[in-house]
């Protein structure tokens, strides 16, 4: 068995992996950026090492720094969590070459499933079909027209090397083909550096249903259960559940068999997910995710299988601890992703900041997988997932009622969260009846009037005579207890850098135009300018969008803080900006 696992991640998934290791008697090594020195995953691990740096690139994606910590800590395995290095074959190979286990799939499987065309070909070779379409790259728009005339409209043009919906265009008739093909190609080139596209039938009201699989290094692969992840917005999942509602048992069995075939076709081991679109009783292969996913706990609650523990056993070379026939699925589970985002009026604006209070709900069938506690800070530099609430019930109806109860019990203060939108989803009759699709949140759900849960950050400093201070010695973290006279406690702690983090800065640009601003429009957080919507000399109304900022994986409209004439534009599309940077000046 493995003895010491380094968790190359942060937040709730690092916490999740640490907990599994602790239960298995495996020592844990956390790594952290400068901003995460006091984060929950650092507090829970047996040892913690500084990576240095602030941004993900400087810290959790710094190969050299992580290899150095592997060396110094004596870890014999690395768990990458999701994101960061989880699907990076170079990293997996470097780690394995050093005789350290990578708790993930074989690099060859990551490569085959890494792009849409090669994964689709692998699935088709295994007898699992995608949405009817071509696997040949398009040469010109006439091929799109020919495909539409033969298979019917609408069709989808997709970027072969795209992802997350980028480079995808829906074409509703022959005369839209030319422009759609050109714009799909150009978006693909800009986003992914390659412009190859292909065409397939466009499904107008599909559900996103994915199948959890797990395999070992002895050739065993089983399917565990499906998850319905249709409740999403801009490719960010909001709610996931298992079993999928209104989903016949024979379709589940067929989808499970298909997922196992796809996994076996690429020599897969470890936990993985095969994604499908499901419409009118048919399912079609979409892609395979070669990692543990955010939503894995719903599968754990209906199957009783600890997927992380199983991943660790598989990485140690053990066979799966159960076979396909041992899996018994019971009841219904729902996961709510709780993000630091303000869903007011359906805008989902990122809301990083200091969490003054975080008291998760508890009770029968109520699980909280969080990455933060009261007093922690959600940084603008990383994913804004605060944690996941996962509730189990005997059936879907009781699971929905339990989840709603738990969401209403949740106390989070200091930041805004997606909870009001989640409640609106679970209360809606379309969701309750399973009539939703991947387009439902954006096209049908009405979030006007949904309030913000943001509360001003309160003062949580309290004088304590006993203080624990974190120190770093040669880059290794130690927790030191100090007993300080009450009158000096504040000063000492502030000096050690462990004082109450600064209050969340509320962006002026995102707050609407109730009070006219100075005309110097600034961005509320670090990110990339993706689009400029005004020109010098142009008249703008207060509140009009002047540019679009991509930050924390979301697009945010930056609006004019007063009416007037655009005097200066300080940025161009593609520029990186920091919190508070002025982008446009209005006079
Ligand atoms: C589709 C589709 C409908 N028809 N393909 C979007 C991201 C990419 N991974 C696949 N996506 C879609 N492909 C055809 N032929 C609808 C989507 C889609 C979607 C898929 C899964 C989850 C959420 C989605 C949201 C919008 C569109």
């Amino acid at each position: 068995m493995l003895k010491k696992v380094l968790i190359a991640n942060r937040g709730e998934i690092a916490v999740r992996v640490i907990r599994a290791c602790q239960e298995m008697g495996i020592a844990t090594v956390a790594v952290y950026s400068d901003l995460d020195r006091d984060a929950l995953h650092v507090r829970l691990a047996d040892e913690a090492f500084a990576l240095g740096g602030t941004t993900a690139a400087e810290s959790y994606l710094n190969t050299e720094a992580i290899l150095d910590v592997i060396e110094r800590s004596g870890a014999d395995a690395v768990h990458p969590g999701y994101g960061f290095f989880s699907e990076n074959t170079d990293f997996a190979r470097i780690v394995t070459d050093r005789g350290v286990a990578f708790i993930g799939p074989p690099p060859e499987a990551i490569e085959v499933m890494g792009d849409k065309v090669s994964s689709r070909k692998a699935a088709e070779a295994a007898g699992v079909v995608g949405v009817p379409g071509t696997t040949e790259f398009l040469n010109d728009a006439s091929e799109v027209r020919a495909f539409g005339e033969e298979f019917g409209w609408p069709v989808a043009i997709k970027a072969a090397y795209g992802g997350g919906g980028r480079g995808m265009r829906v074409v509703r008739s022959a005369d839209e083909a030319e422009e759609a093909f050109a714009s799909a190609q150009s978006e693909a080139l800009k986003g992914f550096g390659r412009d190859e596209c292909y065409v397939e039938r466009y499904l107008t009201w599909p559900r996103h249903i994915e199948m959890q699989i797990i395999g070992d290094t002895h050739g065993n692969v089983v399917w565990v259960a499906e998850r319905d992840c249709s409740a999403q917005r801009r490719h960010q999942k909001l709610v996931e559940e298992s079993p999928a509602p209104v989903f016949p048992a024979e379709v589940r069995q067929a989808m499970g068999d298909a997922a196992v075939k796809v996994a076996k076709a690429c020599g897969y081991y470890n936990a993985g997910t095969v994604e499908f679109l499901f419409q009118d009783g048919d399912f079609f292969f979409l892609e395979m995710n070669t990692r543990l996913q955010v939503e894995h706990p719903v599968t754990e609650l209906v199957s009783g299988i600890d997927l992380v523990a199983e991943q660790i056993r598989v990485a140690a070379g053990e066979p799966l601890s159960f076979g396909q026939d041992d899996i018994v699925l019971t009841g219904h589970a729902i996961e709510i992703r709780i993000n630091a985002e303000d869903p007011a009026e359906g805008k989902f604006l990122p809301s990083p900041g200091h969490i003054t209070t975080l008291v998760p709900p508890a009770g029968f069938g109520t699980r909280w997988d969080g990455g933060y506690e009261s007093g922690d800070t959600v940084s603008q530099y990383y994913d804004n997932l605060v944690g996941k609430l996962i509730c189990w019930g005997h059936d879907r109806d009781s699971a929905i009622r339990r989840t709603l109860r738990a969401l209403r019990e949740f106390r989070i203060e200091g930041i805004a969260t997606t909870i009001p939108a989640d409640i609106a989803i679970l209360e809606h009759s379309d969701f309750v009846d399973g009539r939703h699709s991947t387009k439902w949140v954006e096209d049908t759900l009405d979030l006007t009037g949904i309030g913000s849960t943001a509360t001003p950050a309160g003062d949580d400093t309290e004088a304590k005579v006993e203080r624990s201070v974190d120190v770093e010695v040669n880059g290794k973290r130690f927790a030191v207890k100090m007993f300080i006279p009450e009158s000096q406690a504040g000063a000492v702690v502030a000096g050690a850098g462990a004082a109450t983090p600064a209050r969340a800065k509320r962006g002026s640009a995102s707050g609407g135009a109730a009070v006219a601003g100075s005309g110097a429009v600034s961005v509320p957080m670090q990110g990339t300018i993706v689009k400029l919507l005004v020109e010098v000399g142009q008249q703008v109304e207060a509140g009009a969008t002047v540019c679009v900022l991509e930050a924390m994986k979301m697009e945010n409209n930056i609006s004019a803080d007063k009416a007037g004439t655009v005097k200066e534009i300080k940025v161009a599309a593609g520029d990186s900006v920091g919190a508070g940077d002025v982008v446009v000046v209005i006079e």
Side-chain angles (χ1 to χ4, degrees):
M1 228 321 142
L2 304 176
K3 291 193 173 60
K4 197 187 249 196
V5 172
L6 181 147
I7 299 97
N9 215 305
R10 64 179 305 284
E12 70 84 18
I13 196 61
V15 171
R16 168 73 187 89
V17 176
I18 290 167
R19 286 177 172 149
C21 290
Q22 287 171 342
E23 292 166 13
M24 298 172 85
I26 299 170
T28 52
V29 180
V31 290
Y32 58 92
S33 67
D34 288 349
L35 293 175
D36 280 343
R37 188 169 290 127
D38 200 28
L40 182 59
H41 74 284
V42 173
R43 303 200 290 270
L44 289 179
D46 298 314
E47 296 172 48
F49 288 82
L51 296 171
T54 302
T55 63
E58 292 163 354
S59 53
Y60 300 101
L61 287 171
N62 182 341
T63 307
E64 286 309 313
I66 291 175
L67 291 177
D68 185 51
V69 178
I70 293 176
E71 191 83 33
R72 288 198 288 154
S73 64
D76 55 7
V78 175
H79 196 302
Y82 50 71
F84 298 132
F85 280 135
S86 60
E87 292 170 285
N88 184 311
T89 51
D90 290 341
F91 181 80
R93 287 191 171 107
I94 293 175
V95 165
T96 326
D97 287 348
R98 296 181 171 216
V100 173
F102 178 74
I103 306 176
E108 296 73 24
I110 300 177
E111 275 158 3
V112 172
M113 293 301 160
D115 73 78
K116 290 202 182 122
V117 171
S118 97
S119 63
R120 188 178 162 129
K121 283 184 176 152
E124 272 171 15
V128 177
V129 296
V131 183
T134 60
T135 39
E136 298 305 311
F137 297 143
L138 291 166
N139 294 306
D140 58 70
S142 70
E143 294 171 6
V144 178
R145 284 192 289 272
F147 182 87
E149 298 306 337
E150 188 180 344
F151 291 90
W153 304 98
V155 304
I157 302 176
K158 291 188 174 184
Y161 301 95
R166 282 222 199 155
M168 175 167 137
R169 287 290 180 280
V170 181
V171 190
R172 293 181 194 282
S173 64
D175 43 299
E176 288 176 20
E178 197 89 43
E179 201 186 315
F181 180 48
S183 96
Q185 273 188 317
S186 120
E187 188 170 290
L189 192 62
K190 270 188 225 139
F192 313 102
R194 301 186 61 165
D195 68 357
E196 292 91 337
C197 292
Y198 64 97
V199 65
E200 59 188 36
R201 245 185 70 209
Y202 178 69
L203 308 179
T204 50
W205 198 251
R207 277 152 69 195
H208 171 146
I209 301 185
E210 56 184 33
M211 185 60 72
Q212 177 71 53
I213 61 101
I214 187 158
D216 62 24
T217 53
H218 306 270
N220 304 304
V221 181
V222 299
W223 62 270
V224 185
E226 83 284 7
R227 294 181 289 256
D228 188 318
C229 310
S230 303
Q232 58 87 46
R233 177 189 170 272
R234 297 207 198 165
H235 305 289
Q236 301 290 326
K237 293 169 186 165
L238 295 164
V239 177
E240 302 102 351
E241 61 181 313
S242 187
V246 208
F247 191 67
E250 56 277 15
V251 181
R252 172 173 307 110
Q253 179 67 49
M255 187 181 277
D257 292 342
V260 168
K261 277 193 220 162
V262 170
K264 285 191 168 163
C266 64
Y268 203 86
Y269 51 79
N270 178 59
T273 298
V274 184
E275 291 187 353
F276 298 92
L277 288 177
F278 175 69
Q279 185 177 291
D280 305 327
D282 295 321
F283 61 84
F284 307 97
F285 174 82
L286 202 53
E287 51 198 72
M288 180 169 187
N289 297 321
T290 52
R291 58 173 188 273
L292 180 73
Q293 284 188 272
V294 175
E295 58 270 28
H296 74 276
V298 293
T299 310
E300 296 184 322
L301 291 194
V302 294
S303 69
I305 294 167
D306 182 332
L307 289 168
V308 178
E310 212 59 37
Q311 280 191 296
I312 293 171
R313 280 188 206 108
V314 166
E318 292 186 14
L320 289 177
S321 62
F322 51 86
Q324 187 68 64
D325 296 339
D326 299 320
I327 300 172
V328 181
L329 302 176
T330 314
H332 198 100
I334 297 176
E335 174 180 277
I336 304 293
R337 294 193 189 196
I338 296 182
N339 283 295
E341 281 167 26
D342 189 341
E345 306 304 321
K347 286 186 185 144
F348 293 88
L349 282 179
S351 169
H354 182 58
I355 305 172
T356 49
T357 307
L358 192 158
V359 185
F364 182 32
T366 308
R367 166 173 166 181
W368 169 241
D369 275 25
Y372 301 83
E373 291 177 336
S374 294
D376 291 337
T377 297
V378 179
S379 162
Q380 56 170 352
Y381 287 98
Y382 315 116
D383 193 315
N384 55 18
L385 182 66
V386 179
K388 301 154 348 193
L389 171 70
I390 315 102
C391 292
W392 181 90
H394 286 283
D395 53 26
R396 188 166 187 265
D397 186 50
S398 63
I400 290 176
R401 278 185 282 122
R402 178 163 289 149
T403 310
L404 280 168
R405 182 274 298 165
L407 285 169
R408 293 181 181 125
E409 189 178 314
F410 219 125
R411 282 180 54 211
I412 304 188
E413 286 160 23
I415 56 167
T417 73
T418 41
I419 289 176
D422 297 322
I423 291 175
I425 291 171
L426 293 196
E427 283 181 334
H428 201 290
S429 59
D430 286 351
F431 182 86
V432 171
D433 298 341
R435 273 184 275 128
H436 59 305
S437 86
T438 56
K439 292 164 67 180
W440 178 76
V441 171
E442 280 159 283
D443 293 1
T444 307
L445 183 68
D446 183 3
L447 291 173
T448 52
I450 288 283
S452 163
T453 51
T455 46
D459 194 345
D460 67 342
T461 346
E462 45 176 289
K464 270 185 196 159
V465 181
E466 182 187 310
R467 291 285 190 184
S468 133
V469 172
D470 302 320
V471 297
E472 260 174 42
V473 179
N474 291 333
K476 180 168 181 183
R477 181 184 182 277
F478 295 87
V480 180
K481 237 183 224 172
M482 302 213 306
F483 298 88
I484 310 154
E486 206 167 3
S487 58
Q488 289 170 35
V492 170
V493 170
T500 311
R503 285 177 185 202
K505 201 165 49 177
R506 295 271 161 230
S508 56
S510 60
V515 183
S518 65
V521 180
S522 63
V523 295
M525 67 210 109
Q526 179 239 8
T528 307
I529 302 293
V530 289
K531 201 189 265 179
L532 272 162
L533 297 160
V534 293
E535 293 172 0
V536 172
Q538 187 178 330
Q539 292 287 116
V540 290
E541 296 290 321
T545 301
V546 295
C547 66
V548 180
L549 172 77
E550 191 179 88
M552 298 174 77
K553 298 195 294 184
M554 315 256 309
E555 290 196 349
N556 306 281
N557 291 341
I558 304 298
S559 39
D561 60 347
K562 70 169 194 183
T565 310
V566 176
K567 190 180 155 236
E568 197 183 346
I569 295 177
K570 292 175 172 285
V571 290
D575 285 359
S576 295
V577 289
D581 284 1
V582 174
V583 288
V584 170
V585 181
I586 301 165
E587 243 179 30

